[in-house]
Amino acid sequence: MDLQTLWFAAVAVLWTGFLLLEGFDFGVAALLPVLGRRTADRHLMLRTIGPVWDGNEVWLITATGAVFAAFPGWYATWLPALYLPFVVVLLGLIVRAVAFEWRHGSHDPRWDAAWTRVITGGSLVAAAGIGAALGATTLGLPIDGDGTRVGGAFAGLGWSSLLGAVAVVAYSLVHGALFLALKTDGPLRLRARAFALRWSPLGAVPLLAWAGLVQLRSGTLVTGLLWLVAALAVVVTWTRVRLDREGQAFAGWATVLLASAATLFGAAYPVVVPSTIDPAFDVTIAQASVSDYTLTVMTWVAAVGLPVVLAYQAWTYWVFRRRLTAEPEHDDAPAQVAA
Amino acid sequence: MDVLDLDVLDIARWQFGITTVYHFLMVPLTIGLGILVAVMHTMWVRTGKPEWLRMTRFWGRIYLVNFVLGVATGLVQEFQFGLAWSEYSRFVGDVFGSLLALEALLAFFLESTFLGLWIFGWGRIPKKLHLASLWAAVAGSIVSAYFIIAANSWMQHPVGVVVGEDGRPQQVDFLAVLTNNTALAAFSHAVVAALVVAGALLVGIGLWQLRRRTLAGRSTTDVDQSVWRRSVRLGGFVSLAAFVLVAVTGDWQGKLMYQQQPLKMSSAEALCETEAPAPFSVFAWAKLGSNECDDVHSYTVPGLLSFLAHGDFSTAVPGVDELQEQYSEVYGETYPDDPSFGDRAGQPIDYTPVLAVTYWSFRLMIGMGAVSAGVAAYALWSTRRGRVPTSRIGVYGSLLAVGAPFVANATGWVFTEMGRQPFVVHPNPDVPVGEQVYFFTAQAVSPGIGAAEVWTSLVSLTLLYGALAVVELFLVTRLVRRGVTTGDTTPTPPAVGSDRSHGDDDGRPDADRADDDVLSFAY
């Protein structure tokens, strides 16, 4: 395997890791008004993702950084072509991040409620925006032979971005519910499980449709089989939720994403940005990549650094592995009283 | 000039300037305060004294409120190279992108993962491991600063590359990029400057609390009083020591700049004519809006500039006019007549940065840094041998002066970046002229995006940043007024042993007292 292919795979793994990990914290945040009936429930939901959301988000930074580092031609074509959606993603991610940490800054319930809405809104906007950007990218952008977008600010957006947005949001909602079913106890666990049972079959449809379209355009036999794995994993997930096996259901749902993403990236390879104007303008990994020297250096650093990162991230999940329950005395009465 | 006449390049530059300076208000505080909170936490683990725990938790909260805004605004930084500066990204991809990716891989994961462990790990993981988590997060911030400064320094002084066949820089020596002398100087300067910021915060807030409590009749020996006294003393010493190092590293950086970007340094001094010995300017003024050297008048100290540039009092320092001519000869009098330069194709190039900006940002940087040092000295003097300062002016002045090092940091960056114009990648003078790598800012902007798009992002980001600044100030003010809370008086959070005794992964609810503690701490 040449270095370009290796780094294409690395970028695919990073984006998939981001969608898998941040997917559940997007989902938990989006479900706050749905599953969090009482203040204590919302509190509890946020505690399940509190220690990990920031680490999850670094996957996005690393995924984007890796695109820039390994394929600047991809980065420089892709971001300006989808300028406004990416700005919306950034705005969503910014308000969401500060809301996580700032919502306890005052003991006014309205303050708390307002920031909780910001977390939900920001997460939904960010998830939808990233989905829109990925959807439009995998299904084609109007770029010319220089990699420049043709046709104005909204030229990159269309049904493909809508499909991507719906796919990421729908996947995340079920993912978040399954995560809550796994991480909490009491009534919240039951509600989360019921939500996952009801919505998991439907939640995978847009994602499968998106991967299926890319598969039909440029897939191979292997990516076709991966697509089938993704579809089967939906069935597995649903039956596992029914049997109240939350761990297995969560793993099943994760497989839906892993297999779909593998289909998407595998079927697109070696094109990273297909052009809707002319297939001759497609940006491929060979055109977009940096020199072999730089790729070699990065490969060595990543080979040493990545296992360490994975080890300590896994360890964090282990430290915070126990189920959480809401404590009745927490309801509307935070631990400390303002001086 | 009518703002609506700004083209994509100008708007994108404003956007970069606003978002970067704003982000950089958070960064020094995150680095500096992170180090100091980690020191406090270490002292608590070593001595067991409750004051250190209270300090850790009080300053730790302020650290966290600020940290998250730094993270959130940092996201914009990574994306905007691609969004508004795609031609820049294409051009420097072989070097610049890998530094950003390494920053994410080696620093951001460390920072975010271990900070999460620190926030939620009180009483849940062994004490020393918990302390180590904070140090790991702080190390992450410092490593991150290193990579980003290495990337920036490469733009100031490109090393480790040759011009490739396609005219773009091709990396040949990664180690040279990492050990760029420009990067080493700038990194050490930035880290010690971050400590000045944190020290000034400890001093300003500490003095205010100390005086307030004393006037309210609190005993000078009670434990909270000791928290504020220690904060002031620690902050004062750190700030003063760091200021000395700021001067040393700044001098090093200045000398490098005279070799690498002489025009930047001459315009920092508004030194128009080449002079030997060259004088140091104390105050200069010029015709409003003029960038002509003839309009500049300056009060000077003879010979000092020669010393700052070369270490002696007699060597010539080239002036702006002469350098402008030299640059024009080597890099052209006009931009190439090429569509990639947009409206600027074929137009004359002004190699002189905006003199008013470089001159005054340089002076503000030094002046505001000196204010911090003065305040630190005052704080140490006024709290010597158990004294409590009662001077209203002194204490409120110190509180106000918390802002000084922020201004110094921001203007330092404005100077560094604006002084490099019209280049985004400044040529390295150690490389023979024909083999130099350089790139004009006018070439760097994304083609194909419209002014409306960049206006949209500029306005929405600026409004959001403004609103977030108001909320952050509100939260910090609240925390400061509240002081050390009752939650912090528990000398030890629940022991780890009791937590573990719940048994392992048995699905049992995790409802120990540590959670109260966590929440009162983190938020």
Side-chain angles (χ1 to χ4, degrees):
Chain A
M1 187 159 58
D2 60 19
L3 283 170
Q4 275 98 350
T5 304
L6 180 71
W7 275 90
F8 179 81
V11 167
V13 166
L14 287 165
W15 276 101
T16 310
F18 162 70
L19 291 172
L20 183 68
L21 293 171
E22 187 111 305
F24 70 71
D25 69 53
F26 277 154
V28 170
L31 289 171
L32 282 169
V34 181
L35 299 180
R37 305 241 168 103
R38 300 178 307 151
T39 310
D41 291 337
R42 292 193 289 273
H43 214 99
L44 177 64
M45 290 168 75
L46 288 170
R47 263 169 56 206
T48 63
I49 53 174
V52 294
W53 71 265
D54 192 10
N56 293 347
E57 203 158 286
V58 177
W59 283 78
L60 173 67
I61 300 176
T62 312
T64 313
V67 172
F68 191 177
F71 305 106
W74 175 1
Y75 180 80
T77 302
W78 186 34
L79 268 66
L82 293 163
Y83 192 97
L84 290 179
F86 274 114
V87 170
V88 169
V89 168
L90 290 174
L91 295 172
L93 289 173
I94 291 172
V95 295
R96 164 183 200 265
V98 297
F100 274 125
E101 305 284 337
W102 289 359
R103 63 184 277 280
H104 286 271
S106 168
H107 301 302
D108 182 350
R110 280 172 305 175
W111 170 279
D112 189 284
W115 283 113
T116 306
R117 274 197 292 276
V118 172
I119 293 179
T120 301
S123 301
L124 278 171
V125 163
I130 287 164
L134 291 174
T137 311
T138 46
L139 292 164
L141 285 167
I143 50 165
D144 66 16
D146 296 327
T148 304
R149 183 195 63 202
V150 178
F154 300 98
L157 297 173
W159 62 269
S160 58
S161 38
L162 188 65
L163 177 62
V166 173
V168 171
V169 171
Y171 178 83
S172 298
L173 287 172
V174 177
H175 201 30
L178 284 166
F179 183 73
L180 286 171
L182 187 65
K183 290 295 293 182
T184 63
D185 218 340
L188 186 63
R189 181 182 181 179
L190 299 178
R191 282 204 297 274
R193 208 155 62 193
F195 183 93
L197 188 65
R198 171 182 286 186
W199 293 107
S200 56
L202 201 61
V205 169
L207 181 64
L208 290 174
W210 172 18
L213 282 172
V214 178
Q215 165 66 21
L216 286 178
R217 190 195 61 206
S218 55
T220 61
L221 180 63
V222 176
T223 55
L225 290 174
L226 284 166
W227 188 89
L228 275 182
V229 170
L232 283 176
V234 179
V235 180
V236 172
T237 305
W238 190 76
T239 53
R240 294 292 104 180
V241 186
R242 273 198 69 155
L243 297 170
D244 298 349
R245 306 300 289 263
E246 286 127 352
Q248 293 175 6
F250 188 79
W253 193 248
T255 310
V256 175
L257 179 81
L258 296 178
S260 305
T263 310
L264 279 169
F265 281 99
Y269 173 86
V271 172
V272 287
V273 187
S275 169
T276 51
I277 296 175
D278 185 339
F281 300 156
D282 287 358
V283 180
T284 65
I285 54 170
Q287 300 157 358
S289 92
V290 293
S291 66
D292 275 359
Y293 173 85
T294 300
L295 284 179
T296 308
V297 169
M298 288 199 311
T299 306
W300 280 107
V301 178
V304 177
L306 199 59
V308 178
V309 169
L310 290 175
Y312 64 62
Q313 280 223 323
W315 181 65
T316 322
Y317 280 92
W318 172 251
V319 169
F320 299 108
R321 70 192 174 277
R322 277 189 216 87
R323 283 184 188 275
L324 304 169
T325 46
E327 287 154 86
E329 66 269 21
H330 259 161
D331 207 359
D332 292 323
Q336 91 273 14
V337 181
Chain B
M1 182 170 46
D2 187 347
V3 289
L4 294 174
D5 286 344
L6 296 180
D7 63 6
V8 172
L9 175 66
D10 295 322
I11 310 164
R13 282 186 68 188
W14 274 106
Q15 174 168 297
F16 197 88
I18 290 170
T19 52
T20 307
V21 168
Y22 189 88
H23 176 61
F24 203 74
L25 296 176
M26 319 301 152
V27 172
L29 189 58
T30 297
I31 295 175
L33 198 55
I35 295 173
L36 294 188
V37 171
V39 167
M40 294 168 192
H41 194 162
T42 308
M43 291 305 290
W44 175 61
V45 169
R46 287 180 65 106
T47 66
K49 285 187 181 164
E51 297 92 305
W52 288 115
L53 175 64
R54 294 185 187 197
M55 284 170 72
T56 307
R57 290 166 73 91
F58 173 79
W59 295 109
R61 273 192 213 100
I62 293 184
Y63 169 62
L64 292 175
V65 164
N66 172 72
F67 179 90
V68 70
L69 194 52
V71 169
T73 53
L75 273 168
V76 176
Q77 298 305 100
E78 190 194 30
F79 278 83
Q80 75 176 328
F81 293 113
L83 289 170
W85 303 99
S86 68
E87 291 312 290
Y88 169 77
S89 305
R90 268 183 222 282
F91 181 75
V92 300
D94 220 61
V95 190
F96 195 84
S98 49
L99 292 169
L100 286 191
L102 293 184
E103 183 194 18
L105 180 69
L106 302 178
F108 287 158
F109 274 122
L110 200 65
E111 218 176 349
S112 60
T113 310
F114 283 97
L115 201 65
L117 265 170
W118 187 64
I119 297 171
F120 289 87
W122 288 92
R124 198 179 303 247
I125 52 176
K127 222 171 168 184
K128 285 192 174 158
L129 200 58
H130 184 225
L131 171 63
S133 307
L134 179 57
W135 277 111
V138 169
S141 310
I142 296 173
V143 173
S144 150
Y146 183 75
F147 280 112
I148 213 68
I149 288 177
N152 180 274
S153 299
W154 184 85
M155 297 157 75
Q156 312 280 352
H157 184 232
V159 292
V161 286
V162 295
V163 181
E165 283 164 19
D166 54 359
R168 290 175 191 165
Q170 204 180 343
Q171 188 163 227
V172 288
D173 190 349
F174 180 64
L175 214 58
V177 174
L178 283 187
T179 57
N180 191 349
N181 55 13
T182 322
L184 299 177
F187 170 72
S188 47
H189 192 59
V191 169
V192 288
L195 285 168
V196 177
V197 170
L201 189 78
L202 262 63
V203 163
I205 292 173
L207 278 181
W208 179 74
Q209 282 277 12
L210 201 56
R211 176 173 180 273
R212 185 172 81 139
R213 301 179 72 85
T214 308
L215 293 184
R218 300 297 275 269
S219 155
T220 49
T221 55
D222 87 349
V223 64
D224 286 354
Q225 207 66 350
S226 156
V227 163
W228 303 118
R229 167 170 300 283
R230 273 168 207 257
S231 297
V232 173
R233 305 287 299 174
L234 176 67
F237 279 119
V238 166
S239 201
L240 211 53
F243 180 74
V244 174
L245 294 174
V246 163
V248 173
T249 52
D251 180 60
W252 175 21
Q253 220 185 341
K255 287 188 166 60
L256 286 178
M257 236 178 252
Y258 271 110
Q259 298 156 19
Q260 295 166 357
Q261 300 180 356
L263 195 43
K264 183 192 279 185
M265 288 312 288
S266 297
S267 52
E269 287 302 324
L271 181 77
C272 285
E273 309 291 330
T274 302
E275 290 184 52
F280 177 84
S281 168
V282 180
F283 186 88
W285 71 100
K287 219 181 268 175
L288 204 62
S290 155
N291 209 29
E292 289 299 316
C293 248
D294 302 337
D295 296 328
V296 176
H297 306 275
S298 191
Y299 285 115
T300 56
V301 180
L304 186 55
L305 188 56
S306 289
F307 179 73
L308 291 175
H310 303 290
D312 67 57
F313 284 95
S314 56
T315 311
V317 176
V320 170
D321 283 344
E322 185 184 327
L323 288 166
Q324 165 89 24
E325 261 174 53
Q326 284 177 15
Y327 273 79
S328 299
E329 268 171 42
V330 180
Y331 305 107
E333 290 191 4
T334 56
Y335 286 117
D337 209 356
D338 182 292
S340 67
F341 286 87
D343 293 345
R344 287 164 180 77
Q347 298 294 311
I349 310 175
D350 189 358
Y351 289 97
T352 309
V354 184
L355 285 179
V357 172
T358 47
Y359 183 88
W360 285 110
S361 59
F362 191 65
R363 261 141 204 81
L364 267 174
M365 171 181 77
I366 295 173
M368 288 291 152
V371 166
S372 300
V375 167
Y378 162 78
L380 290 176
W381 174 252
S382 64
T383 54
R384 71 192 184 283
R385 279 183 251 120
R387 273 168 233 235
V388 174
T390 47
S391 153
R392 207 182 148 80
I393 296 176
V395 170
Y396 278 88
S398 305
L399 197 56
L400 201 66
V402 168
F406 285 97
V407 176
N409 271 277
T411 49
W413 274 109
V414 167
F415 168 67
T416 304
E417 300 296 283
M418 294 278 287
R420 184 191 51 201
Q421 300 302 330
F423 295 103
V424 64
V425 178
H426 190 282
N428 179 351
D430 305 336
V431 174
V433 167
E435 298 159 30
Q436 284 173 342
V437 163
Y438 62 91
F439 205 59
F440 288 108
T441 309
Q443 295 171 273
V445 76
S446 304
I449 58 167
E453 275 166 284
V454 198
W455 267 124
T456 308
S457 57
L458 170 63
V459 170
S460 50
L461 284 168
T462 306
L463 289 178
L464 178 63
Y465 280 13
L468 295 179
V470 172
V471 181
E472 159 143 337
L473 281 176
F474 166 77
L475 286 173
V476 170
T477 310
R478 240 187 104 89
L479 286 171
V480 168
R481 284 183 175 278
R482 196 167 71 185
V484 237
T485 62
T486 47
D488 299 334
T489 52
T490 327
T492 24
V496 175
S498 66
D499 188 34
R500 285 282 154 81
S501 68
H502 285 313
D504 265 346
D505 208 5
D506 56 2
R508 186 106 58 114
D510 179 17
D512 50 52
R513 283 188 51 243
D515 293 323
D516 288 346
D517 206 51
V518 163
L519 292 171
S520 70
F521 171 67
Y523 303 122

